[in-house]
mmCIF file with all atom_site columns, all heavy atoms in Angstrom:
data_model
loop_
_atom_site.group_PDB
_atom_site.id
_atom_site.type_symbol
_atom_site.label_atom_id
_atom_site.label_alt_id
_atom_site.label_comp_id
_atom_site.label_asym_id
_atom_site.label_entity_id
_atom_site.label_seq_id
_atom_site.pdbx_PDB_ins_code
_atom_site.Cartn_x
_atom_site.Cartn_y
_atom_site.Cartn_z
_atom_site.occupancy
_atom_site.B_iso_or_equiv
_atom_site.pdbx_formal_charge
_atom_site.auth_seq_id
_atom_site.auth_comp_id
_atom_site.auth_asym_id
_atom_site.auth_atom_id
_atom_site.pdbx_PDB_model_num
ATOM 1   N N   . SER A 1 78 ? 25.127 -69.642 1.364  1.00 0.00 ? 1049 SER A N   1
ATOM 2   C CA  . SER A 1 78 ? 24.376 -68.849 2.331  1.00 0.00 ? 1049 SER A CA  1
ATOM 3   C C   . SER A 1 78 ? 25.061 -67.512 2.582  1.00 0.00 ? 1049 SER A C   1
ATOM 4   O O   . SER A 1 78 ? 24.397 -66.483 2.790  1.00 0.00 ? 1049 SER A O   1
ATOM 5   C CB  . SER A 1 78 ? 24.222 -69.625 3.649  1.00 0.00 ? 1049 SER A CB  1
ATOM 6   O OG  . SER A 1 78 ? 25.488 -69.992 4.162  1.00 0.00 ? 1049 SER A OG  1
ATOM 7   N N   . GLU A 1 79 ? 26.391 -67.510 2.545  1.00 0.00 ? 1050 GLU A N   1
ATOM 8   C CA  . GLU A 1 79 ? 27.139 -66.262 2.732  1.00 0.00 ? 1050 GLU A CA  1
ATOM 9   C C   . GLU A 1 79 ? 26.890 -65.300 1.571  1.00 0.00 ? 1050 GLU A C   1
ATOM 10  O O   . GLU A 1 79 ? 26.721 -64.091 1.774  1.00 0.00 ? 1050 GLU A O   1
ATOM 11  C CB  . GLU A 1 79 ? 28.645 -66.542 2.847  1.00 0.00 ? 1050 GLU A CB  1
ATOM 12  C CG  . GLU A 1 79 ? 29.070 -67.251 4.121  1.00 0.00 ? 1050 GLU A CG  1
ATOM 13  C CD  . GLU A 1 79 ? 28.803 -68.748 4.085  1.00 0.00 ? 1050 GLU A CD  1
ATOM 14  O OE1 . GLU A 1 79 ? 28.443 -69.269 2.987  1.00 0.00 ? 1050 GLU A OE1 1
ATOM 15  O OE2 . GLU A 1 79 ? 28.947 -69.411 5.138  1.00 0.00 ? 1050 GLU A OE2 1
ATOM 16  N N   . GLU A 1 80 ? 26.843 -65.825 0.364  1.00 0.00 ? 1051 GLU A N   1
ATOM 17  C CA  . GLU A 1 80 ? 26.596 -64.980 -0.812 1.00 0.00 ? 1051 GLU A CA  1
ATOM 18  C C   . GLU A 1 80 ? 25.179 -64.419 -0.797 1.00 0.00 ? 1051 GLU A C   1
ATOM 19  O O   . GLU A 1 80 ? 24.952 -63.266 -1.192 1.00 0.00 ? 1051 GLU A O   1
ATOM 20  C CB  . GLU A 1 80 ? 26.845 -65.785 -2.091 1.00 0.00 ? 1051 GLU A CB  1
ATOM 21  C CG  . GLU A 1 80 ? 28.316 -66.101 -2.329 1.00 0.00 ? 1051 GLU A CG  1
ATOM 22  C CD  . GLU A 1 80 ? 28.527 -67.049 -3.486 1.00 0.00 ? 1051 GLU A CD  1
ATOM 23  O OE1 . GLU A 1 80 ? 27.612 -67.866 -3.773 1.00 0.00 ? 1051 GLU A OE1 1
ATOM 24  O OE2 . GLU A 1 80 ? 29.599 -67.001 -4.113 1.00 0.00 ? 1051 GLU A OE2 1
ATOM 25  N N   . ILE A 1 81 ? 24.225 -65.221 -0.347 1.00 0.00 ? 1052 ILE A N   1
ATOM 26  C CA  . ILE A 1 81 ? 22.843 -64.740 -0.239 1.00 0.00 ? 1052 ILE A CA  1
ATOM 27  C C   . ILE A 1 81 ? 22.761 -63.580 0.744  1.00 0.00 ? 1052 ILE A C   1
ATOM 28  O O   . ILE A 1 81 ? 22.092 -62.567 0.489  1.00 0.00 ? 1052 ILE A O   1
ATOM 29  C CB  . ILE A 1 81 ? 21.908 -65.888 0.194  1.00 0.00 ? 1052 ILE A CB  1
ATOM 30  C CG1 . ILE A 1 81 ? 21.808 -66.932 -0.925 1.00 0.00 ? 1052 ILE A CG1 1
ATOM 31  C CG2 . ILE A 1 81 ? 20.520 -65.355 0.565  1.00 0.00 ? 1052 ILE A CG2 1
ATOM 32  C CD1 . ILE A 1 81 ? 21.007 -68.159 -0.552 1.00 0.00 ? 1052 ILE A CD1 1
ATOM 33  N N   . GLU A 1 82 ? 23.465 -63.703 1.858  1.00 0.00 ? 1053 GLU A N   1
ATOM 34  C CA  . GLU A 1 82 ? 23.460 -62.642 2.859  1.00 0.00 ? 1053 GLU A CA  1
ATOM 35  C C   . GLU A 1 82 ? 24.147 -61.384 2.320  1.00 0.00 ? 1053 GLU A C   1
ATOM 36  O O   . GLU A 1 82 ? 23.698 -60.256 2.592  1.00 0.00 ? 1053 GLU A O   1
ATOM 37  C CB  . GLU A 1 82 ? 24.159 -63.117 4.131  1.00 0.00 ? 1053 GLU A CB  1
ATOM 38  C CG  . GLU A 1 82 ? 24.087 -62.129 5.294  1.00 0.00 ? 1053 GLU A CG  1
ATOM 39  C CD  . GLU A 1 82 ? 22.667 -61.794 5.697  1.00 0.00 ? 1053 GLU A CD  1
ATOM 40  O OE1 . GLU A 1 82 ? 21.755 -62.617 5.469  1.00 0.00 ? 1053 GLU A OE1 1
ATOM 41  O OE2 . GLU A 1 82 ? 22.450 -60.689 6.258  1.00 0.00 ? 1053 GLU A OE2 1
ATOM 42  N N   . GLN A 1 83 ? 25.200 -61.557 1.565  1.00 0.00 ? 1054 GLN A N   1
ATOM 43  C CA  . GLN A 1 83 ? 25.879 -60.413 0.964  1.00 0.00 ? 1054 GLN A CA  1
ATOM 44  C C   . GLN A 1 83 ? 24.947 -59.663 0.012  1.00 0.00 ? 1054 GLN A C   1
ATOM 45  O O   . GLN A 1 83 ? 24.930 -58.426 -0.006 1.00 0.00 ? 1054 GLN A O   1
ATOM 46  C CB  . GLN A 1 83 ? 27.128 -60.884 0.209  1.00 0.00 ? 1054 GLN A CB  1
ATOM 47  C CG  . GLN A 1 83 ? 28.269 -61.334 1.106  1.00 0.00 ? 1054 GLN A CG  1
ATOM 48  C CD  . GLN A 1 83 ? 29.418 -61.939 0.319  1.00 0.00 ? 1054 GLN A CD  1
ATOM 49  O OE1 . GLN A 1 83 ? 29.398 -61.994 -0.912 1.00 0.00 ? 1054 GLN A OE1 1
ATOM 50  N NE2 . GLN A 1 83 ? 30.436 -62.420 1.029  1.00 0.00 ? 1054 GLN A NE2 1
ATOM 51  N N   . GLU A 1 84 ? 24.165 -60.403 -0.755 1.00 0.00 ? 1055 GLU A N   1
ATOM 52  C CA  . GLU A 1 84 ? 23.213 -59.777 -1.673 1.00 0.00 ? 1055 GLU A CA  1
ATOM 53  C C   . GLU A 1 84 ? 22.115 -59.049 -0.902 1.00 0.00 ? 1055 GLU A C   1
ATOM 54  O O   . GLU A 1 84 ? 21.672 -57.975 -1.291 1.00 0.00 ? 1055 GLU A O   1
ATOM 55  C CB  . GLU A 1 84 ? 22.590 -60.831 -2.593 1.00 0.00 ? 1055 GLU A CB  1
ATOM 56  C CG  . GLU A 1 84 ? 23.544 -61.404 -3.624 1.00 0.00 ? 1055 GLU A CG  1
ATOM 57  C CD  . GLU A 1 84 ? 24.096 -60.340 -4.543 1.00 0.00 ? 1055 GLU A CD  1
ATOM 58  O OE1 . GLU A 1 84 ? 23.292 -59.548 -5.089 1.00 0.00 ? 1055 GLU A OE1 1
ATOM 59  O OE2 . GLU A 1 84 ? 25.328 -60.289 -4.717 1.00 0.00 ? 1055 GLU A OE2 1
ATOM 60  N N   . ARG A 1 85 ? 21.686 -59.647 0.214  1.00 0.00 ? 1056 ARG A N   1
ATOM 61  C CA  . ARG A 1 85 ? 20.648 -59.027 1.037  1.00 0.00 ? 1056 ARG A CA  1
ATOM 62  C C   . ARG A 1 85 ? 21.118 -57.674 1.574  1.00 0.00 ? 1056 ARG A C   1
ATOM 63  O O   . ARG A 1 85 ? 20.368 -56.709 1.637  1.00 0.00 ? 1056 ARG A O   1
ATOM 64  C CB  . ARG A 1 85 ? 20.263 -59.950 2.185  1.00 0.00 ? 1056 ARG A CB  1
ATOM 65  C CG  . ARG A 1 85 ? 19.025 -59.472 2.975  1.00 0.00 ? 1056 ARG A CG  1
ATOM 66  C CD  . ARG A 1 85 ? 18.765 -60.363 4.175  1.00 0.00 ? 1056 ARG A CD  1
ATOM 67  N NE  . ARG A 1 85 ? 18.866 -61.770 3.835  1.00 0.00 ? 1056 ARG A NE  1
ATOM 68  C CZ  . ARG A 1 85 ? 17.908 -62.461 3.239  1.00 0.00 ? 1056 ARG A CZ  1
ATOM 69  N NH1 . ARG A 1 85 ? 16.773 -61.849 2.918  1.00 0.00 ? 1056 ARG A NH1 1
ATOM 70  N NH2 . ARG A 1 85 ? 18.069 -63.745 2.963  1.00 0.00 ? 1056 ARG A NH2 1
ATOM 71  N N   . MET A 1 86 ? 22.378 -57.605 1.970  1.00 0.00 ? 1057 MET A N   1
ATOM 72  C CA  . MET A 1 86 ? 22.910 -56.386 2.557  1.00 0.00 ? 1057 MET A CA  1
ATOM 73  C C   . MET A 1 86 ? 23.069 -55.263 1.533  1.00 0.00 ? 1057 MET A C   1
ATOM 74  O O   . MET A 1 86 ? 23.228 -54.099 1.898  1.00 0.00 ? 1057 MET A O   1
ATOM 75  C CB  . MET A 1 86 ? 24.257 -56.659 3.230  1.00 0.00 ? 1057 MET A CB  1
ATOM 76  C CG  . MET A 1 86 ? 24.163 -57.604 4.427  1.00 0.00 ? 1057 MET A CG  1
ATOM 77  S SD  . MET A 1 86 ? 22.946 -57.076 5.672  1.00 0.00 ? 1057 MET A SD  1
ATOM 78  C CE  . MET A 1 86 ? 23.690 -55.538 6.240  1.00 0.00 ? 1057 MET A CE  1
ATOM 79  N N   . LYS A 1 87 ? 23.012 -55.609 0.261  1.00 0.00 ? 1058 LYS A N   1
ATOM 80  C CA  . LYS A 1 87 ? 23.078 -54.583 -0.780 1.00 0.00 ? 1058 LYS A CA  1
ATOM 81  C C   . LYS A 1 87 ? 21.755 -53.839 -0.933 1.00 0.00 ? 1058 LYS A C   1
ATOM 82  O O   . LYS A 1 87 ? 21.708 -52.753 -1.517 1.00 0.00 ? 1058 LYS A O   1
ATOM 83  C CB  . LYS A 1 87 ? 23.447 -55.218 -2.126 1.00 0.00 ? 1058 LYS A CB  1
ATOM 84  C CG  . LYS A 1 87 ? 24.858 -55.780 -2.191 1.00 0.00 ? 1058 LYS A CG  1
ATOM 85  C CD  . LYS A 1 87 ? 25.111 -56.411 -3.550 1.00 0.00 ? 1058 LYS A CD  1
ATOM 86  C CE  . LYS A 1 87 ? 26.491 -57.035 -3.625 1.00 0.00 ? 1058 LYS A CE  1
ATOM 87  N NZ  . LYS A 1 87 ? 26.725 -57.686 -4.951 1.00 0.00 ? 1058 LYS A NZ  1
ATOM 88  N N   . LEU A 1 88 ? 20.686 -54.438 -0.410 1.00 0.00 ? 1059 LEU A N   1
ATOM 89  C CA  . LEU A 1 88 ? 19.355 -53.836 -0.532 1.00 0.00 ? 1059 LEU A CA  1
ATOM 90  C C   . LEU A 1 88 ? 19.181 -52.697 0.455  1.00 0.00 ? 1059 LEU A C   1
ATOM 91  O O   . LEU A 1 88 ? 19.837 -52.656 1.499  1.00 0.00 ? 1059 LEU A O   1
ATOM 92  C CB  . LEU A 1 88 ? 18.276 -54.893 -0.263 1.00 0.00 ? 1059 LEU A CB  1
ATOM 93  C CG  . LEU A 1 88 ? 18.174 -56.054 -1.248 1.00 0.00 ? 1059 LEU A CG  1
ATOM 94  C CD1 . LEU A 1 88 ? 17.196 -57.090 -0.708 1.00 0.00 ? 1059 LEU A CD1 1
ATOM 95  C CD2 . LEU A 1 88 ? 17.741 -55.568 -2.621 1.00 0.00 ? 1059 LEU A CD2 1
ATOM 96  N N   . PRO A 1 89 ? 18.278 -51.756 0.151  1.00 0.00 ? 1060 PRO A N   1
ATOM 97  C CA  . PRO A 1 89 ? 17.919 -50.747 1.149  1.00 0.00 ? 1060 PRO A CA  1
ATOM 98  C C   . PRO A 1 89 ? 17.416 -51.433 2.411  1.00 0.00 ? 1060 PRO A C   1
ATOM 99  O O   . PRO A 1 89 ? 16.785 -52.496 2.346  1.00 0.00 ? 1060 PRO A O   1
ATOM 100 C CB  . PRO A 1 89 ? 16.802 -49.955 0.456  1.00 0.00 ? 1060 PRO A CB  1
ATOM 101 C CG  . PRO A 1 89 ? 17.030 -50.168 -1.000 1.00 0.00 ? 1060 PRO A CG  1
ATOM 102 C CD  . PRO A 1 89 ? 17.582 -51.560 -1.131 1.00 0.00 ? 1060 PRO A CD  1
ATOM 103 N N   . GLU A 1 90 ? 17.683 -50.859 3.538  1.00 0.00 ? 1061 GLU A N   1
ATOM 104 C CA  . GLU A 1 90 ? 17.381 -51.509 4.819  1.00 0.00 ? 1061 GLU A CA  1
ATOM 105 C C   . GLU A 1 90 ? 15.920 -51.920 4.926  1.00 0.00 ? 1061 GLU A C   1
ATOM 106 O O   . GLU A 1 90 ? 15.597 -52.987 5.481  1.00 0.00 ? 1061 GLU A O   1
ATOM 107 C CB  . GLU A 1 90 ? 17.754 -50.570 5.975  1.00 0.00 ? 1061 GLU A CB  1
ATOM 108 C CG  . GLU A 1 90 ? 17.673 -51.231 7.341  1.00 0.00 ? 1061 GLU A CG  1
ATOM 109 C CD  . GLU A 1 90 ? 18.221 -50.347 8.444  1.00 0.00 ? 1061 GLU A CD  1
ATOM 110 O OE1 . GLU A 1 90 ? 18.774 -49.265 8.130  1.00 0.00 ? 1061 GLU A OE1 1
ATOM 111 O OE2 . GLU A 1 90 ? 18.105 -50.745 9.614  1.00 0.00 ? 1061 GLU A OE2 1
ATOM 112 N N   . GLU A 1 91 ? 15.012 -51.086 4.393  1.00 0.00 ? 1062 GLU A N   1
ATOM 113 C CA  . GLU A 1 91 ? 13.581 -51.387 4.530  1.00 0.00 ? 1062 GLU A CA  1
ATOM 114 C C   . GLU A 1 91 ? 13.146 -52.597 3.703  1.00 0.00 ? 1062 GLU A C   1
ATOM 115 O O   . GLU A 1 91 ? 12.057 -53.145 3.918  1.00 0.00 ? 1062 GLU A O   1
ATOM 116 C CB  . GLU A 1 91 ? 12.741 -50.165 4.123  1.00 0.00 ? 1062 GLU A CB  1
ATOM 117 C CG  . GLU A 1 91 ? 12.905 -49.718 2.680  1.00 0.00 ? 1062 GLU A CG  1
ATOM 118 C CD  . GLU A 1 91 ? 14.031 -48.717 2.489  1.00 0.00 ? 1062 GLU A CD  1
ATOM 119 O OE1 . GLU A 1 91 ? 14.892 -48.612 3.392  1.00 0.00 ? 1062 GLU A OE1 1
ATOM 120 O OE2 . GLU A 1 91 ? 14.048 -48.050 1.441  1.00 0.00 ? 1062 GLU A OE2 1
#
Side-chain angles (χ1 to χ4, degrees):
S1049 57
E1050 290 79 9
E1051 290 172 332
I1052 292 175
E1053 186 59 26
Q1054 288 173 2
E1055 290 300 310
R1056 189 185 315 280
M1057 295 306 295
K1058 293 179 182 179
L1059 295 172
E1061 189 172 354
E1062 62 271 17

